[in-house]
Amino acid sequence: MSDDVEADLRKQFEDAFSGADFPVSSQMDLVPALPQGPGTKFESGDFSVTAMELAAKLGSSQDFPYENVDSLVDDVIQGLKDNGMI
C-alpha cells in the first residue's frame, strides 16, 4: 500500500479520535468522539474499514491506556501494517 494511503488514513484517524477525552483506557472511550459512532468509515484508495471492524481486528495490537491521539494513531497504523491490511 502506498505512503499516500497511510498518510491519508493517519489524518482520518487523527481527526476522528482527537475529540476523545484523553487519556483513554479502552476502545469504548473512543466511541463518543467518532462522527458516526462505531459505524464511522475510514477509506483511502482500495482500503475501507469501519471503526467497529478496526476494533475487532486490532484489539490485540492496542496498548491501552493512551495519553494522546498521536500514540493511539501510531498503534492503529502499526496494527494495520502488522495484519497486512495496509
Side-chain angles (χ1 to χ4, degrees):
M1 190 134 313
S2 77
D3 290 340
D4 290 341
V5 170
E6 180 180 331
D8 187 30
L9 289 172
R10 181 175 293 278
K11 172 120 178 55
Q12 289 180 48
F13 295 145
E14 288 170 352
D15 290 346
F17 297 132
S18 64
D21 187 17
F22 286 91
V24 293
S25 57
S26 74
Q27 293 173 340
M28 293 307 295
D29 291 344
L30 298 169
V31 173
L34 297 172
Q36 283 85 39
T40 301
K41 275 196 174 192
F42 302 100
E43 300 176 298
S44 184
D46 292 336
F47 179 86
S48 178
V49 68
T50 65
M52 184 178 293
E53 291 169 326
L54 269 181
K57 293 178 180 180
L58 301 183
S60 63
S61 299
Q62 296 178 310
D63 188 22
F64 287 96
Y66 289 98
E67 298 296 321
N68 56 59
V69 71
D70 294 328
S71 59
L72 170 66
V73 172
D74 287 347
D75 276 4
V76 170
I77 293 292
Q78 190 59 53
L80 290 172
K81 289 179 178 179
D82 291 348
N83 285 290
M85 297 173 70
I86 63 169

